[in-house]
Amino acid sequence: MQKLRLKSAEIEKSTHLEFFKIALSVDCVIFGYDKKKLKVLVFESDFEEYANMLSLIGDLVQPEEDLEEAPYRILRERAGLHDVYMEQVYTFGSVSRHPSGRVITTAYFSLVDIKTHKLPASETNLHWHDVDDISQMAFDHKIILDTCLTRLREKILEYPIVFNLLPEKFSLRELQDLYEAILGVELDRRNFRKRITLKNWLVDLNEMEEDVPHRPGKLYKLKKQLKSNGKPLRLKEQNLVI
Amino acid sequence: MQKLRLKSAEIEKSTHLEFFKIALSVDCVIFGYDKKKLKVLVFESDFEEYANMLSLIGDLVQPEEDLEEAPYRILRERAGLHDVYMEQVYTFGSVSRHPSGRVITTAYFSLVDIKTHKLPASETNLHWHDVDDISQMAFDHKIILDTCLTRLREKILEYPIVFNLLPEKFSLRELQDLYEAILGVELDRRNFRKRITLKNWLVDLNEMEEDVPHRPGKLYKLKKQLKSNGKPLRLKEQNLVI
DNA sequence: TTATTAATGTGTCCGAAGTACATATTACTT
DNA sequence: AAGTAATATGTACTTCGGACACATTAATAA
């Protein structure tokens, strides 16, 4: 690390020794979707105080690593995930939140298509867990999860991000099931289709579902300009990318 | 600091010495409003690299201090401000963002009524600066300011928080001027009044403006349940506090 | 005292978008 | 060939936001 010159009014009152004792970590809330259920990628904590409790995937930020890079690295290293949608949500910093000492954590959520992104066999501990079947977690991870879920629910109403949870091609029924799973409500089919049509997010592929046990529906995909590879989208109006 | 036990998979790969070298700071974007202009509280940086450039008020988070507590302390110590509306916005952590070393910062914005909260005479350097008259700042503070301003603009459309920038009693005209200053647009007076009425945020005080050089308008105040002393509001619908 | 001025206060029309709800069509199943 | 369960589409009602007009009030100027 480079030598410190502490001349700012912000820092001059302190010595490094006293202040550079805080660790910064990143915790990743990785959402997936399968069988009409919203999932989150978790593992059973090997931390003494929280043995066998569910834990989010996280790691310390490296000394020479940008904060925004850390969650992407963690997803690569721990879950073999590349090019996923990622968004910073909130930073949690209670003194007592981590039993090992002062660890402040920044929470990110990401959206992953479970079918396309297979988990690495090496990480046998990792698994996709129903979001609405989690009542407690290690550390303050339940609060982190809830905060990210709230943010997700707000965001999907205005921004076309849920498509990161689906395969390239999908039917309107699948899309509606996904919205219902995330929002936890039932939606009227006809009105849902109208709203989605109005947002003008989709392209009709002129293909039909196959191997479904009922009348097949049309398949759609997200418009190319609206695809979010990694970075969160910023939209003006409902279909214009800034 | 308590002794560390580093047994978690999150931490075990590292030694403290290597990782507890990151400093965490808080930067406060303190918004005010005066003479139809949105203001922000700044001072001229005494930091060598950024001499005479505008800087936000910030400080390092103390080793035994909750992250959420730090911005309140900073407002007290540096600006004599108590009980102000405060909201966490984003955490900035580029490796190179601070010339003194690895300093990650969490940005908060707060809303203050300039007339009620006078600045302490000791802080001669502090002053209220027009937000739209700032083109560059020290460090990455301009980006931090812009991020907070964007969040503020989104938030005021749905949540009754701008009232923290006004005195207890105000006219609809003053309220509209404030919205226009924050959003940077002109609004139709009649439609604005209709929208505000619809939101049902206000109480008609049956009092009139005084000492205005024109026909006085009615005075209103924010409904008591909607007052936000410090913590950000969470609303369901448009006027219900959860 | 009166007319002027500049603001406040209120209302209407219209179109966009959301909600409730009904019917026809299609393909698989029996 | 009939029954079933899903898709596909449409209509009426309501709510909300945006464009816009007119009457009212109080300070000011003649």
Side-chain angles (χ1 to χ4, degrees), chain A residues 1-14 18-27 43 46-49 55-68 73 77-78 88-96 98-104 106 108 139 141 147 150-151 154 159 234, chain B residues 1-14 18-27 43 46-49 55-68 73 77-78 88-96 98-104 106 108 139 141 147 150-151 154 159 234:
Chain A
M1 198 179 197
Q2 60 181 322
K3 189 156 179 293
L4 297 174
R5 286 171 296 135
L6 297 169
K7 296 190 177 170
S8 157
E10 290 185 76
I11 302 190
E12 64 187 357
K13 308 178 219 166
S14 61
E18 188 179 344
F19 282 94
F20 284 66
K21 273 183 186 170
I22 297 177
L24 188 77
S25 70
V26 161
D27 282 308
F43 67 101
D46 50 0
F47 208 83
E48 206 173 291
E49 285 86 345
S55 175
L56 297 171
I57 296 165
D59 194 9
L60 294 172
V61 177
Q62 306 285 321
E64 301 289 337
E65 177 182 46
D66 286 346
L67 173 62
E68 315 103 70
R73 172 181 59 79
E77 291 180 0
R78 300 283 297 278
Q88 189 191 109
V89 176
Y90 202 81
T91 298
F92 298 84
S94 297
V95 171
S96 59
H98 199 294
S100 292
R102 190 65 199 279
V103 183
I104 283 173
T106 300
Y108 287 78
F139 310 97
H141 286 187
T147 305
T150 298
R151 178 71 63 91
E154 291 167 1
Y159 297 84
R234 292 197 154 257
Chain B
M1 198 180 198
Q2 60 181 323
K3 190 157 179 292
L4 297 175
R5 286 170 298 134
L6 297 170
K7 295 190 181 171
S8 160
E10 290 186 76
I11 301 191
E12 64 186 359
K13 308 177 219 167
S14 60
E18 189 179 344
F19 282 94
F20 284 66
K21 273 182 183 168
I22 298 177
L24 188 78
S25 71
V26 161
D27 282 308
F43 67 102
D46 49 1
F47 207 83
E48 206 174 288
E49 284 86 345
S55 176
L56 297 171
I57 297 165
D59 195 8
L60 293 172
V61 178
Q62 307 283 322
E64 300 290 338
E65 176 183 47
D66 285 346
L67 174 62
E68 317 100 70
R73 172 181 57 80
E77 291 180 359
R78 298 283 296 278
Q88 189 191 109
V89 175
Y90 202 81
T91 298
F92 297 84
S94 297
V95 171
S96 58
H98 200 294
S100 292
R102 191 66 200 279
V103 183
I104 283 174
T106 299
Y108 287 79
F139 309 96
H141 286 188
T147 305
T150 298
R151 177 71 64 92
E154 291 166 2
Y159 297 83
R234 292 197 155 258

Side-chain angles (χ1 to χ4, degrees), chain A residues 22-58:
Chain A
I22 297 177
L24 188 77
S25 70
V26 161
D27 282 308
C28 297
V29 176
I30 307 169
F31 289 114
Y33 174 69
D34 190 34
K35 299 195 183 71
K36 302 196 180 185
K37 292 285 188 179
L38 185 66
K39 308 275 185 177
V40 61
L41 196 56
V42 292
F43 67 101
E44 268 144 49
S45 178
D46 50 0
F47 208 83
E48 206 173 291
E49 285 86 345
Y50 298 111
N52 299 321
M53 293 176 67
L54 295 180
S55 175
L56 297 171
I57 296 165

Side-chain angles (χ1 to χ4, degrees), chain B residues 115-130:
Chain B
K115 300 250 169 52
T116 325
H117 297 86
K118 287 294 174 191
L119 296 180
S122 56
E123 293 282 352
T124 55
N125 212 355
L126 281 183
H127 67 277
W128 292 102
H129 203 289
D130 273 18

Side-chain angles (χ1 to χ4, degrees), chain B:
Chain B
M1 198 180 198
Q2 60 181 323
K3 190 157 179 292
L4 297 175
R5 286 170 298 134
L6 297 170
K7 295 190 181 171
S8 160
E10 290 186 76
I11 301 191
E12 64 186 359
K13 308 177 219 167
S14 60
T15 68
H16 348 164
L17 296 179
E18 189 179 344
F19 282 94
F20 284 66
K21 273 182 183 168
I22 298 177
L24 188 78
S25 71
V26 161
D27 282 308
C28 296
V29 175
I30 308 168
F31 289 115
Y33 173 69
D34 190 36
K35 298 193 183 70
K36 302 194 179 184
K37 292 283 187 181
L38 185 65
K39 309 274 184 177
V40 60
L41 196 56
V42 292
F43 67 102
E44 269 143 51
S45 177
D46 49 1
F47 207 83
E48 206 174 288
E49 284 86 345
Y50 298 112
N52 299 319
M53 292 176 68
L54 294 181
S55 176
L56 297 171
I57 297 165
D59 195 8
L60 293 172
V61 178
Q62 307 283 322
E64 300 290 338
E65 176 183 47
D66 285 346
L67 174 62
E68 317 100 70
E69 279 304 314
Y72 291 101
R73 172 181 57 80
I74 293 167
L75 260 60
R76 281 199 310 274
E77 291 180 359
R78 298 283 296 278
L81 295 171
H82 298 261
D83 298 323
V84 302
Y85 181 83
M86 178 93 68
E87 189 168 328
Q88 189 191 109
V89 175
Y90 202 81
T91 298
F92 297 84
S94 297
V95 171
S96 58
R97 63 169 295 280
H98 200 294
S100 292
R102 191 66 200 279
V103 183
I104 283 174
T105 197
T106 299
Y108 287 79
F109 81 75
S110 46
L111 303 175
V112 171
D113 172 22
I114 292 185
K115 300 250 169 52
T116 325
H117 297 86
K118 287 294 174 191
L119 296 180
S122 56
E123 293 282 352
T124 55
N125 212 355
L126 281 183
H127 67 277
W128 292 102
H129 203 289
D130 273 18
V131 166
D132 55 11
D133 188 35
I134 296 180
S135 58
Q136 61 171 2
M137 300 182 78
F139 309 96
D140 52 359
H141 286 188
K142 182 61 164 64
I143 291 171
I144 294 176
L145 172 60
D146 289 343
T147 305
C148 287
L149 183 56
T150 298
R151 177 71 64 92
L152 176 64
R153 284 176 175 154
E154 291 166 2
K155 194 105 185 192
I156 63 171
L157 300 176
E158 298 291 335
Y159 297 83
I161 64 173
V162 292
F163 306 96
N164 295 289
L165 292 164
L166 290 176
E168 171 104 6
K169 302 177 180 184
F170 51 85
S171 67
L172 287 182
R173 177 69 208 168
E174 290 172 307
L175 184 60
Q176 182 181 340
D177 285 341
L178 172 54
Y179 268 94
E180 290 179 343
I182 296 175
L183 297 173
V185 295
E186 290 206 346
L187 302 172
D188 182 272
R189 197 167 43 84
R190 296 154 290 187
N191 294 335
F192 176 78
R193 296 166 83 93
K194 183 162 56 171
R195 273 203 306 276
I196 291 293
T197 305
L198 210 60
K199 294 211 182 277
N200 203 19
W201 287 344
L202 301 185
V203 177
D204 186 339
L205 288 170
N206 288 315
E207 298 177 48
M208 305 301 273
E209 285 182 300
E210 288 173 16
D211 302 319
V212 285
H214 52 72
R215 174 180 173 184
K218 288 205 222 176
L219 289 178
Y220 296 82
K221 67 172 184 179
L222 181 64
K223 281 191 177 175
K224 259 204 298 286
Q225 326 92 291
L226 298 176
K227 278 202 187 142
S228 45
N229 288 323
K231 299 295 174 187
L233 279 174
R234 292 197 155 258
L235 300 184
K236 187 160 46 175
E237 303 296 327
Q238 288 183 316
N239 51 3
L240 266 181
V241 184
I242 290 181

Side-chain angles (χ1 to χ4, degrees), chain A:
Chain A
M1 198 179 197
Q2 60 181 322
K3 189 156 179 293
L4 297 174
R5 286 171 296 135
L6 297 169
K7 296 190 177 170
S8 157
E10 290 185 76
I11 302 190
E12 64 187 357
K13 308 178 219 166
S14 61
T15 69
H16 348 167
L17 295 179
E18 188 179 344
F19 282 94
F20 284 66
K21 273 183 186 170
I22 297 177
L24 188 77
S25 70
V26 161
D27 282 308
C28 297
V29 176
I30 307 169
F31 289 114
Y33 174 69
D34 190 34
K35 299 195 183 71
K36 302 196 180 185
K37 292 285 188 179
L38 185 66
K39 308 275 185 177
V40 61
L41 196 56
V42 292
F43 67 101
E44 268 144 49
S45 178
D46 50 0
F47 208 83
E48 206 173 291
E49 285 86 345
Y50 298 111
N52 299 321
M53 293 176 67
L54 295 180
S55 175
L56 297 171
I57 296 165
D59 194 9
L60 294 172
V61 177
Q62 306 285 321
E64 301 289 337
E65 177 182 46
D66 286 346
L67 173 62
E68 315 103 70
E69 280 305 314
Y72 290 102
R73 172 181 59 79
I74 293 168
L75 259 61
R76 280 197 311 275
E77 291 180 0
R78 300 283 297 278
L81 295 171
H82 297 262
D83 299 323
V84 302
Y85 180 85
M86 179 93 68
E87 190 168 326
Q88 189 191 109
V89 176
Y90 202 81
T91 298
F92 298 84
S94 297
V95 171
S96 59
R97 63 168 295 281
H98 199 294
S100 292
R102 190 65 199 279
V103 183
I104 283 173
T105 197
T106 300
Y108 287 78
F109 81 76
S110 47
L111 304 176
V112 171
D113 172 24
I114 292 184
K115 301 249 169 53
T116 322
H117 297 86
K118 287 292 173 192
L119 296 180
S122 56
E123 293 282 352
T124 55
N125 213 354
L126 282 184
H127 67 276
W128 292 103
H129 204 288
D130 272 19
V131 166
D132 55 11
D133 188 35
I134 296 181
S135 57
Q136 59 171 4
M137 300 182 78
F139 310 97
D140 51 359
H141 286 187
K142 183 62 164 65
I143 291 170
I144 294 177
L145 171 60
D146 289 343
T147 305
C148 287
L149 183 56
T150 298
R151 178 71 63 91
L152 176 65
R153 285 176 172 154
E154 291 167 1
K155 194 106 185 192
I156 63 172
L157 299 177
E158 298 291 335
Y159 297 84
I161 63 172
V162 291
F163 306 95
N164 295 289
L165 292 164
L166 289 176
E168 171 104 4
K169 303 175 179 185
F170 51 86
S171 67
L172 288 181
R173 179 66 208 171
E174 291 173 308
L175 184 60
Q176 182 180 341
D177 284 342
L178 173 53
Y179 268 94
E180 290 179 343
I182 296 175
L183 297 173
V185 295
E186 291 205 347
L187 303 171
D188 181 89
R189 208 178 63 257
R190 296 155 289 190
N191 294 334
F192 177 79
R193 298 166 82 94
K194 184 158 57 166
R195 271 203 306 275
I196 292 293
T197 305
L198 209 61
K199 295 213 182 275
N200 203 21
W201 287 343
L202 301 185
V203 177
D204 186 339
L205 288 170
N206 290 312
E207 297 177 50
M208 305 300 274
E209 284 182 301
E210 287 174 16
D211 303 319
V212 286
H214 50 72
R215 173 179 173 184
K218 288 206 223 177
L219 290 178
Y220 296 82
K221 68 170 185 180
L222 182 64
K223 283 194 175 171
K224 259 202 298 292
Q225 325 94 289
L226 297 176
K227 279 206 184 132
S228 45
N229 287 323
K231 299 293 176 187
L233 279 173
R234 292 197 154 257
L235 300 183
K236 188 161 46 178
E237 303 297 326
Q238 288 184 316
N239 51 3
L240 266 181
V241 185
I242 291 179

